[in-house]
Amino acid sequence: MIACSSGVHQTGTLVGCLRRLQWWDFASILDEYRRYGGNRYQFESEQFIELFDCDLVTLPTALPPWFV
């Protein structure tokens, strides 16, 4: 579980970028972001997730089972 006391935008953006690293398609990421963000989702956060460059992230060779 990931929780944030300052609101859903930071947490939702973080999880959206994590989903990109897990090779989710963008439509599914937006669906999850909007479902849990309710009517408070932000276009800027969605755009950040869409433009997030997974190639700049180096993942460890041994990933935890929940990541795969």
Side-chain angles (χ1 to χ4, degrees), residues 1 5-6 8 12-14 16-18 35 39 53 56 58 64-65 67:
M1 180 175 140
S5 63
S6 63
V8 297
T13 303
L14 172 72
C17 292
L18 175 66
R35 187 170 353 116
N39 60 357
D53 190 353
L56 297 177
T58 303
F67 188 86

Side-chain angles (χ1 to χ4, degrees), residues 1-64:
M1 180 175 140
I2 300 174
C4 173
S5 63
S6 63
V8 297
H9 303 301
Q10 295 88 350
T11 306
T13 303
L14 172 72
V15 171
C17 292
L18 175 66
R19 299 301 188 215
R20 293 282 316 273
L21 291 170
Q22 293 175 312
W23 299 105
W24 281 33
D25 66 276
F26 187 60
S28 297
I29 295 169
L30 283 185
D31 179 57
E32 181 181 57
Y33 176 75
R34 290 176 179 174
R35 187 170 353 116
Y36 290 103
N39 60 357
R40 298 175 294 179
Y41 64 88
Q42 294 180 336
F43 173 76
E44 294 83 6
S45 296
E46 293 178 358
Q47 188 175 38
F48 184 90
I49 295 167
E50 181 180 17
L51 299 175
F52 178 72
D53 190 353
C54 295
D55 293 332
L56 297 177
V57 178
T58 303
L59 295 173
T61 53
L63 294 170

